[in-house]
Amino acid sequence: MIRFAIIGAGRIGQVHARAVAAHPEAELVLVYDAFEAPAKALAEAYGVRHTLDIDEVYGAGDVDAVIIGSPTAMHVEHILGSVRGGKRVMCEKPVALELDEATRCVDELGDEAGRVMLGFNRRFDPSFAEIHARVADGEIGQLQQLTVTSRDPQGPPAEYVAGSGGIFKDMTIHDFDTVRFFLGDIVEVSAFGTNADEAIKAAGDFDQAMIMLRNADGALATIVNSRTCSYGYDQRLEAFGSDGALSAENLTETSVRKASASQTQAQGPVLNFFLQRYEAAYSRELGVFIDAVNNDAEVSPNVVDGVEALRLAQAATQSAREGRTVRL
Amino acid sequence: MIRFAIIGAGRIGQVHARAVAAHPEAELVLVYDAFEAPAKALAEAYGVRHTLDIDEVYGAGDVDAVIIGSPTAMHVEHILGSVRGGKRVMCEKPVALELDEATRCVDELGDEAGRVMLGFNRRFDPSFAEIHARVADGEIGQLQQLTVTSRDPQGPPAEYVAGSGGIFKDMTIHDFDTVRFFLGDIVEVSAFGTNADEAIKAAGDFDQAMIMLRNADGALATIVNSRTCSYGYDQRLEAFGSDGALSAENLTETSVRKASASQTQAQGPVLNFFLQRYEAAYSRELGVFIDAVNNDAEVSPNVVDGVEALRLAQAATQSAREGRTVRL
Amino acid sequence: MIRFAIIGAGRIGQVHARAVAAHPEAELVLVYDAFEAPAKALAEAYGVRHTLDIDEVYGAGDVDAVIIGSPTAMHVEHILGSVRGGKRVMCEKPVALELDEATRCVDELGDEAGRVMLGFNRRFDPSFAEIHARVADGEIGQLQQLTVTSRDPQGPPAEYVAGSGGIFKDMTIHDFDTVRFFLGDIVEVSAFGTNADEAIKAAGDFDQAMIMLRNADGALATIVNSRTCSYGYDQRLEAFGSDGALSAENLTETSVRKASASQTQAQGPVLNFFLQRYEAAYSRELGVFIDAVNNDAEVSPNVVDGVEALRLAQAATQSAREGRTVRL
Amino acid sequence: MIRFAIIGAGRIGQVHARAVAAHPEAELVLVYDAFEAPAKALAEAYGVRHTLDIDEVYGAGDVDAVIIGSPTAMHVEHILGSVRGGKRVMCEKPVALELDEATRCVDELGDEAGRVMLGFNRRFDPSFAEIHARVADGEIGQLQQLTVTSRDPQGPPAEYVAGSGGIFKDMTIHDFDTVRFFLGDIVEVSAFGTNADEAIKAAGDFDQAMIMLRNADGALATIVNSRTCSYGYDQRLEAFGSDGALSAENLTETSVRKASASQTQAQGPVLNFFLQRYEAAYSRELGVFIDAVNNDAEVSPNVVDGVEALRLAQAATQSAREGRTVRL
């Protein structure tokens, strides 16, 4: 039985608390938040204790592993503190908003970096993971082109945008990790950002983007992003290889299709957002982390993958702002 | 070059005239109809001669083959006259409205029966034909269950119903032939007829039906029929075997799909009726007939298949009326 | 918190134990089985007590509700005993193998019959339930034709077949309930049974079947059954109405599709059997039962629905054996 | 009746000859080719005269319109000569291999430029055209993102590549026109080219590419290209707007789907190449041209669209070679 503390009692902390409670080998024992109300509410929901003192988490003798869902600005501090306290760590993406800070985190972690898991949950999505495994098995020959479509159902409020680090670090970072998951290290990035949303534009960020990437072997990827999507959370992937292609389609709540005078084959909207769409991914992600803790093993993706995704986000930002291809 | 006469200048005669004109080895030379206006109109459209005297067709020295699209009541007379006149014949379904008359036709034709083609055009539909070929190749193992869905977009006028011989002889007859195409001779039939349309009910016919059939090997089929279908001409087939299943889905005009706030994957309505849905089938059917004429060969389906489909229609009528399974 | 006893510690009892444990308002307290080993194993897995004495279940002061997953032959006794003991009951299908015995059960229950839930879990499948709700909302106009495809992945062993009551009572009974769920009471049944499996034939049962049904309003249904299906657990439904159609397609484990030189759009096999396919249905079913217990309310489907499905199974058996349509 | 000459008796000339022969308002009267054998063969197939003297085409008194399917290097000369000879012209893409030459053509044509049709046949594909019309009708709100997937089944021989002008001018030019069809004039282009095929790499060209484009309103497009595709001719389009998305899927020969132990929903490979995939498009294209000739009207797409697509091809070439975004 692995005993967990959760740092950050917000929406994502609640998701992880539920996953921990449901896992037969996991047990929640402690909740930390900088504010009393959410810490207490989450702790009481699971009948465990809470604290406002982060050092209590680092030093807790009855905590084996920590899940970090605090604001991004605190991630590096919480990672380093937890690791120094002898805890295994799973941290939400991104590692940090600035590449320098993320790099510093990895440097300070040293050999421990490979053991700090980063919450790129899409790697654990059953469909994406299946495609990855089948590509790795050589089922479509040499992987040549990757197409990632990733559109959120609704844009964030402008105030969120201001502190988000921009669309590439906040939203595309998941897709950058997906590209790295399939293509490995990237050597060239070109990005176009644009605005359909005036409020986000006024906040100085893009709300739509397209990005092209190339790896050292010359394989290409394209990412299509939008902060809004009328028909739900549009999350698709196509891997094209020399011997075939594998694609993951969107998910709908049921398999019902309708035919009427105006149309046929109509399905419902796609699952609305990440908690629904990636529910299975969150659960599998925790399972992989727990296995690694049980086996005292390194994890993938880890904080180094977080740094590399952030490097791509920074390159994309630069490319879109300066109108040029960025070489890494 | 095969020289054709067309008997019957109505809608289906026009379809065949167009197919003949488009075929590189076929040539239209003569049009017959009982009425001057349609005969003349069709003949003039293709710059050929017309006649109101059926014996002129039978005796024409410049006619090799005859396509019969006259009213059903005239089919047997037109088949026999044409064959006696030394012409090859392709006749629209059904052979006749009464099984006795159809059987008499086959008897009188004797050895010629296998050379008179019957217009069960669905056997030539690219999708249905592909399934048939793949089943015959053993791709799904032993064929065990056949599901035929066949719904017309709009019911016929009540006056048409009165002279149609009833839904089983007029509409289901195509599906009976499809079942025989896959399962061969049938030994048992059970049918339910019902009414959603009051006018057709008043005319003494069913407008919806379901039929089950069994062949001598115990393989089963079910047919689902409706005279109306809000989303177009619903024509599907599923062949289920010991090693898999093959199914033919409906056809839409384009491959366009729409996603919006209320739905995803919405395609257009299915092709509206038989001229559109079975356009390729009519063309392939004529090609098969022309090949048989060129090779002086028997054809399939032929008039004997027409008799057997009619036998099933009669059994289904009896089953539905008497509320019992009919053994053949 | 509702306290549950489970009668029958076999496969289905384990499914329910897991569902009870996972439900926030339910608690397992007691397990009964006629044999020590399974009773003990299941009880220990959840840290609760077990018994070999059925009267201990009936009389337990700390049990509010009972889930019956014992052999069919014991269902009526266990239902009556539990109800007399003041427990709410959810019982697996079928009520009994003989209609007489099922009817007797309802008679003895009297006013309590509407409060005994029967485990027709497919009514709670998200896709089937959505179609039912949308049909009830009038979205496709008047419901006219229902097509139910229901094929198991692998046939049962011959020894199971011997005591199963036959395919109609054992397997089709679910589909009969589905037809009743959509069409209400049935007035006419015609069934064809056949064999592809020699062992099942030798055991005196059919392994494939087709059934047609009609309700008092003239709406028709067809059921297509097979005990084996190479591509998994084939569970589909099509509701056809005057203004459109709604259909539920099969479920696959992921949304991955493959294109290669020989094919495109290839998905994985469908979910293999009922525990996977109807996982959400079992969970929703328990939720509905718990709501009814909390509200001291009647349930649907209840034991009367079980009797009516059994009546259809008996009629289908008679129809298939005697080769005639059976009127109810 | 419009009388046609065809310049160039190669593969594409044969396609157009067939389309002309099949059109009720068109008539082929003359075939030109620089070589005797193909000219004679094509002319004899349709029973018309042929010539090796291009001036005979320009001066022919019985020719109303000319279809140019000669090698690209001759397009401008053949366009100008035909127009000076008073003929209406439909010319295959691209106008020329060099932008300078294409621009010169438009300059010399002056007011006539809008009347010279350019063979961007995909605008007439029923699915793409339907999406364009529905977008224009506002069905998906503001068009924001366009995704074009365009992969040929088999790469060209290396000798062809050498004279093709490169993948962007030879293959992507169709997709550039598709982007302009939807987004209008483009202000920014970024392209990545790469090689999976060593022979094409040795010939100095790319065989795979990705391109991003932006119009003046900020709408974005991405094009995914490959010279080879194992599953056929991959031609898809997705238009994403503020209120929904419309997509065109690939076409297969039939609607047959297969389920087996290893997979479900498997369709056949997609139509293999442009003659099959765009058969309907070629026919509709000719119809639009004939209407324009009959009405003495301008056409779309015309030679100016050809120049603009070439400008994008040149910018993409530059972007891919120099590793930078090109502004237009």
Side-chain angles (χ1 to χ4, degrees):
Chain A
M1 189 64 71
I2 297 167
R3 300 160 299 174
F4 278 84
I6 286 182
I7 295 180
R11 184 172 57 168
I12 197 70
Q14 293 162 30
V15 171
H16 288 299
R18 192 158 54 229
V20 166
H23 197 287
E25 299 177 48
E27 182 185 13
L28 183 63
V29 297
L30 179 59
V31 172
Y32 162 86
D33 198 283
F35 297 94
E36 172 80 19
K40 191 175 170 194
L42 183 58
E44 287 187 350
Y46 292 91
V48 302
R49 71 185 196 275
H50 71 277
T51 179
L52 305 184
D53 175 6
I54 190 68
D55 289 322
E56 196 180 323
V57 177
Y58 301 157
D62 61 348
V63 168
D64 304 305
V66 169
I67 297 177
I68 301 174
S70 52
T72 300
M74 302 305 295
H75 282 182
V76 171
E77 179 184 323
H78 289 157
I79 290 171
L80 294 175
S82 299
V83 169
R84 283 171 194 143
K87 316 302 185 222
R88 288 298 298 258
V89 172
M90 181 163 82
C91 179
E92 275 305 312
K93 63 87 204 172
V95 181
L97 283 189
E98 297 308 321
L99 183 57
D100 286 354
E101 197 190 353
T103 306
R104 180 179 65 84
C105 177
V106 169
D107 289 346
E108 297 205 13
L109 285 169
D111 289 350
E112 287 293 313
R115 294 162 52 87
V116 174
M117 189 154 172
L118 209 78
F120 287 128
N121 60 307
R122 294 180 196 180
R123 294 195 185 202
F124 305 99
D125 173 69
S127 295
F128 296 171
E130 179 184 324
I131 292 180
H132 190 267
R134 292 168 71 176
V135 168
D137 281 354
E139 194 176 315
I140 59 168
Q142 184 70 27
L143 178 62
Q144 298 172 337
Q145 299 184 318
L146 193 75
T147 305
V148 179
T149 304
S150 174
R151 294 174 177 131
D152 286 353
Q154 277 184 289
E159 52 270 34
Y160 172 90
V161 166
S164 72
I167 189 172
F168 297 116
K169 290 181 183 173
D170 181 60
M171 177 182 173
T172 323
I173 195 136
H174 271 301
D175 307 307
F176 287 133
D177 183 65
T178 299
V179 170
R180 289 190 68 253
F181 186 41
F182 280 88
L183 295 191
D185 285 336
I186 295 301
V187 298
E188 217 172 1
V189 176
S190 181
F192 281 9
T194 193
N195 287 99
D197 182 315
E198 287 303 315
I200 292 179
K201 185 177 185 178
D205 195 9
F206 304 119
D207 54 270
Q208 298 194 331
M210 289 188 178
I211 305 103
M212 298 190 302
L213 308 101
R214 182 204 308 268
N215 74 5
D217 296 331
L220 304 181
T222 185
I223 299 169
V224 176
N225 279 160
S226 175
R227 282 289 199 183
T228 59
C229 180
S230 62
Y231 49 90
Y233 189 36
D234 191 359
Q235 297 285 298
R236 287 172 288 155
L237 180 67
E238 178 185 280
F240 175 84
S242 51
D243 297 339
L246 291 164
S247 61
E249 309 299 323
N250 279 316
L251 303 181
T252 49
E253 203 167 335
T254 68
S255 70
V256 177
R257 293 175 172 276
K258 181 179 178 187
S260 66
S262 59
Q263 67 194 16
T264 56
Q265 299 289 331
Q267 290 187 277
V270 296
L271 293 178
N272 199 52
F273 212 10
F274 61 94
L275 297 185
Q276 293 74 43
R277 172 65 179 82
Y278 291 117
E279 186 184 3
Y282 280 112
S283 162
R284 291 186 179 206
E285 179 186 53
L286 182 65
V288 166
F289 179 62
I290 286 174
D291 283 351
V293 175
N294 279 330
N295 299 316
D296 195 22
E298 296 214 333
V299 286
S300 172
N302 58 43
V303 71
V304 177
D305 296 297
V307 169
E308 293 308 316
L310 195 58
R311 195 185 308 280
L312 295 180
Q314 187 159 293
T317 306
Q318 193 180 11
S319 173
R321 294 289 175 204
E322 301 178 8
R324 64 181 188 87
T325 299
V326 173
R327 299 183 194 276
L328 298 168
Chain B
M1 187 65 69
I2 297 167
R3 298 161 300 175
F4 278 85
I6 286 181
I7 295 179
R11 184 170 58 168
I12 197 71
Q14 293 162 30
V15 171
H16 287 300
R18 193 159 52 231
V20 166
H23 198 286
E25 299 176 48
E27 185 184 10
L28 183 62
V29 296
L30 179 60
V31 172
Y32 161 87
D33 199 284
F35 298 94
E36 173 80 20
K40 192 174 169 192
L42 183 57
E44 286 187 350
Y46 292 91
V48 302
R49 71 183 196 276
H50 71 278
T51 179
L52 304 184
D53 175 6
I54 190 67
D55 289 323
E56 197 179 322
V57 177
Y58 300 157
D62 63 346
V63 168
D64 304 306
V66 169
I67 297 177
I68 300 174
S70 52
T72 299
M74 303 304 296
H75 282 182
V76 171
E77 179 183 323
H78 289 157
I79 289 171
L80 294 175
S82 299
V83 169
R84 282 171 194 143
K87 317 302 186 222
R88 289 297 299 257
V89 171
M90 181 163 83
C91 180
E92 275 304 313
K93 64 86 205 170
V95 181
L97 284 189
E98 297 308 321
L99 182 57
D100 287 354
E101 197 189 353
T103 306
R104 180 178 64 84
C105 178
V106 168
D107 289 346
E108 297 206 11
L109 285 169
D111 289 350
E112 288 293 313
R115 294 162 51 87
V116 174
M117 189 154 172
L118 208 79
F120 286 129
N121 59 306
R122 293 180 195 179
R123 293 195 186 201
F124 305 100
D125 174 68
S127 295
F128 296 171
E130 179 183 325
I131 293 180
H132 190 266
R134 292 168 72 177
V135 168
D137 281 356
E139 195 175 316
I140 58 168
Q142 183 71 27
L143 178 62
Q144 297 172 337
Q145 298 185 319
L146 194 75
T147 305
V148 179
T149 305
S150 174
R151 295 174 175 130
D152 286 352
Q154 277 185 292
E159 51 270 35
Y160 172 89
V161 166
S164 71
I167 189 171
F168 297 117
K169 290 181 183 174
D170 182 60
M171 176 181 173
T172 323
I173 194 134
H174 271 301
D175 307 308
F176 287 133
D177 183 66
T178 298
V179 171
R180 288 191 67 253
F181 186 41
F182 281 87
L183 295 190
D185 286 336
I186 295 301
V187 298
E188 214 171 4
V189 177
S190 181
F192 280 9
T194 193
N195 287 100
D197 182 317
E198 286 303 316
I200 292 179
K201 185 177 186 178
D205 195 10
F206 303 119
D207 53 88
Q208 298 194 330
M210 289 186 178
I211 305 103
M212 298 190 301
L213 308 100
R214 182 206 305 267
N215 75 5
D217 296 332
L220 304 181
T222 184
I223 298 169
V224 177
N225 279 161
S226 174
R227 282 287 199 185
T228 59
C229 180
S230 63
Y231 50 90
Y233 189 37
D234 191 359
Q235 296 284 298
R236 287 171 288 156
L237 180 67
E238 179 184 281
F240 175 84
S242 51
D243 297 340
L246 291 164
S247 61
E249 307 300 323
N250 279 316
L251 303 181
T252 50
E253 203 167 334
T254 69
S255 69
V256 177
R257 292 175 172 277
K258 181 179 178 185
S260 66
S262 60
Q263 65 193 18
T264 57
Q265 300 287 332
Q267 290 188 277
V270 297
L271 293 178
N272 199 54
F273 212 9
F274 61 94
L275 297 185
Q276 292 75 43
R277 172 64 180 82
Y278 291 117
E279 186 184 3
Y282 280 112
S283 162
R284 291 185 180 207
E285 178 187 52
L286 182 65
V288 166
F289 179 61
I290 285 174
D291 283 352
V293 174
N294 278 331
N295 298 317
D296 196 21
E298 297 213 332
V299 286
S300 172
N302 59 43
V303 70
V304 177
D305 295 298
V307 169
E308 294 308 317
L310 196 58
R311 194 184 309 279
L312 296 180
Q314 186 159 293
T317 306
Q318 194 180 10
S319 173
R321 295 289 175 203
E322 301 178 7
R324 64 182 188 89
T325 299
V326 173
R327 300 182 192 275
L328 297 169
Chain C
M1 188 66 69
I2 297 166
R3 299 161 298 173
F4 279 86
I6 286 181
I7 296 179
R11 184 170 59 169
I12 198 69
Q14 293 162 31
V15 171
H16 288 299
R18 192 159 52 231
V20 166
H23 197 287
E25 297 176 49
E27 183 186 12
L28 183 62
V29 296
L30 178 60
V31 172
Y32 162 87
D33 199 282
F35 298 94
E36 172 81 20
K40 191 174 171 194
L42 183 59
E44 286 186 350
Y46 292 91
V48 301
R49 72 184 195 276
H50 71 277
T51 180
L52 305 184
D53 175 6
I54 189 67
D55 289 323
E56 195 179 325
V57 177
Y58 301 157
D62 62 346
V63 168
D64 305 305
V66 169
I67 298 177
I68 301 174
S70 52
T72 300
M74 303 304 296
H75 283 181
V76 171
E77 179 183 323
H78 290 156
I79 290 171
L80 294 175
S82 299
V83 169
R84 283 171 194 142
K87 318 302 186 221
R88 287 301 296 259
V89 172
M90 181 164 82
C91 180
E92 276 303 313
K93 63 88 207 170
V95 181
L97 284 189
E98 298 308 322
L99 184 56
D100 286 355
E101 195 190 354
T103 305
R104 180 178 63 85
C105 177
V106 169
D107 289 347
E108 297 205 13
L109 285 169
D111 288 351
E112 288 292 314
R115 294 163 52 87
V116 174
M117 189 156 172
L118 209 78
F120 287 128
N121 60 306
R122 293 181 196 179
R123 293 197 185 199
F124 305 100
D125 173 69
S127 295
F128 296 171
E130 179 184 324
I131 292 180
H132 190 267
R134 292 168 70 177
V135 167
D137 281 355
E139 194 176 316
I140 58 167
Q142 184 71 26
L143 178 61
Q144 298 172 338
Q145 299 184 318
L146 194 75
T147 305
V148 179
T149 304
S150 174
R151 295 174 176 131
D152 286 353
Q154 278 184 290
E159 51 270 36
Y160 173 89
V161 166
S164 72
I167 189 171
F168 297 116
K169 290 181 183 172
D170 181 60
M171 177 181 173
T172 322
I173 195 138
H174 271 302
D175 308 308
F176 287 132
D177 184 65
T178 299
V179 171
R180 289 190 67 252
F181 186 40
F182 281 88
L183 295 190
D185 285 336
I186 295 301
V187 298
E188 215 172 1
V189 177
S190 181
F192 280 9
T194 193
N195 287 99
D197 181 317
E198 286 303 316
I200 291 179
K201 186 178 184 177
D205 195 9
F206 303 118
D207 55 88
Q208 297 194 332
M210 288 186 179
I211 305 101
M212 298 189 303
L213 307 100
R214 182 207 306 268
N215 74 5
D217 296 332
L220 304 180
T222 184
I223 298 169
V224 176
N225 278 162
S226 174
R227 282 288 198 183
T228 59
C229 180
S230 63
Y231 50 90
Y233 189 37
D234 191 0
Q235 297 285 299
R236 287 173 288 155
L237 180 68
E238 179 184 281
F240 175 84
S242 51
D243 296 340
L246 291 164
S247 61
E249 308 299 323
N250 278 316
L251 303 182
T252 50
E253 203 166 334
T254 69
S255 69
V256 178
R257 293 175 171 276
K258 181 179 179 186
S260 66
S262 59
Q263 66 192 18
T264 56
Q265 299 289 330
Q267 290 188 277
V270 296
L271 293 178
N272 199 53
F273 212 10
F274 60 95
L275 297 184
Q276 292 76 44
R277 172 63 179 84
Y278 291 116
E279 185 184 3
Y282 280 112
S283 161
R284 291 186 181 205
E285 179 186 52
L286 182 66
V288 167
F289 180 61
I290 286 174
D291 283 351
V293 175
N294 278 330
N295 298 317
D296 196 21
E298 297 216 331
V299 286
S300 171
N302 58 43
V303 71
V304 177
D305 295 298
V307 168
E308 293 309 316
L310 195 59
R311 194 186 309 279
L312 294 180
Q314 186 159 294
T317 305
Q318 193 180 10
S319 173
R321 296 288 173 205
E322 301 179 7
R324 63 181 189 88
T325 298
V326 173
R327 299 183 194 276
L328 298 167
Chain D
M1 189 66 68
I2 297 167
R3 298 160 300 174
F4 279 86
I6 286 182
I7 295 180
R11 183 170 60 170
I12 196 70
Q14 293 162 30
V15 171
H16 288 301
R18 193 159 52 232
V20 167
H23 197 286
E25 297 176 49
E27 183 185 12
L28 183 63
V29 296
L30 178 60
V31 172
Y32 161 87
D33 199 284
F35 298 94
E36 173 80 20
K40 193 175 169 192
L42 183 58
E44 286 186 349
Y46 291 92
V48 302
R49 71 183 196 277
H50 71 277
T51 180
L52 305 184
D53 176 6
I54 189 68
D55 289 324
E56 198 180 322
V57 177
Y58 300 158
D62 63 345
V63 168
D64 304 307
V66 170
I67 297 176
I68 301 174
S70 52
T72 300
M74 302 304 296
H75 282 181
V76 171
E77 180 184 322
H78 289 157
I79 290 170
L80 295 175
S82 299
V83 169
R84 284 172 194 141
K87 316 301 185 222
R88 288 300 297 259
V89 172
M90 181 164 81
C91 179
E92 275 304 312
K93 64 89 206 169
V95 180
L97 284 189
E98 297 308 323
L99 183 57
D100 286 354
E101 197 190 353
T103 306
R104 180 178 65 83
C105 178
V106 168
D107 288 347
E108 296 205 13
L109 284 169
D111 288 352
E112 288 292 313
R115 294 163 52 87
V116 175
M117 189 155 172
L118 209 78
F120 287 128
N121 60 308
R122 294 180 195 180
R123 292 196 186 200
F124 305 100
D125 173 69
S127 295
F128 295 171
E130 179 184 324
I131 292 179
H132 189 267
R134 293 167 71 177
V135 168
D137 281 355
E139 195 176 316
I140 58 168
Q142 183 71 27
L143 178 62
Q144 298 172 336
Q145 299 184 318
L146 194 75
T147 305
V148 179
T149 304
S150 174
R151 295 173 176 132
D152 285 353
Q154 277 184 289
E159 52 269 37
Y160 173 89
V161 165
S164 72
I167 188 171
F168 297 117
K169 290 181 182 173
D170 182 61
M171 177 179 172
T172 323
I173 194 138
H174 271 301
D175 307 308
F176 287 132
D177 184 65
T178 299
V179 170
R180 289 191 66 253
F181 186 41
F182 280 88
L183 295 191
D185 285 336
I186 295 301
V187 298
E188 217 172 1
V189 177
S190 181
F192 280 9
T194 193
N195 287 100
D197 181 318
E198 286 302 316
I200 291 178
K201 185 177 187 179
D205 195 9
F206 304 117
D207 53 88
Q208 297 194 332
M210 288 186 177
I211 305 102
M212 298 189 303
L213 308 101
R214 182 206 306 267
N215 74 5
D217 296 332
L220 304 180
T222 184
I223 299 169
V224 177
N225 279 161
S226 175
R227 282 289 198 183
T228 59
C229 179
S230 63
Y231 50 90
Y233 189 37
D234 190 359
Q235 297 284 297
R236 287 171 287 155
L237 181 67
E238 178 183 282
F240 175 84
S242 51
D243 297 340
L246 291 164
S247 60
E249 307 299 323
N250 279 314
L251 303 182
T252 50
E253 203 167 333
T254 68
S255 69
V256 177
R257 293 176 172 276
K258 181 178 178 186
S260 66
S262 59
Q263 66 194 16
T264 56
Q265 298 289 331
Q267 289 188 276
V270 296
L271 292 179
N272 199 53
F273 212 10
F274 60 93
L275 297 184
Q276 292 75 42
R277 172 63 179 82
Y278 290 117
E279 186 184 2
Y282 280 112
S283 161
R284 291 186 179 205
E285 178 187 53
L286 182 66
V288 166
F289 180 61
I290 286 173
D291 283 352
V293 175
N294 278 331
N295 298 317
D296 195 23
E298 297 214 332
V299 286
S300 172
N302 59 43
V303 70
V304 177
D305 296 299
V307 169
E308 293 309 316
L310 195 58
R311 195 185 308 278
L312 295 180
Q314 186 158 294
T317 306
Q318 194 180 9
S319 173
R321 295 289 174 202
E322 302 178 6
R324 64 183 189 86
T325 299
V326 173
R327 299 183 192 277
L328 298 167

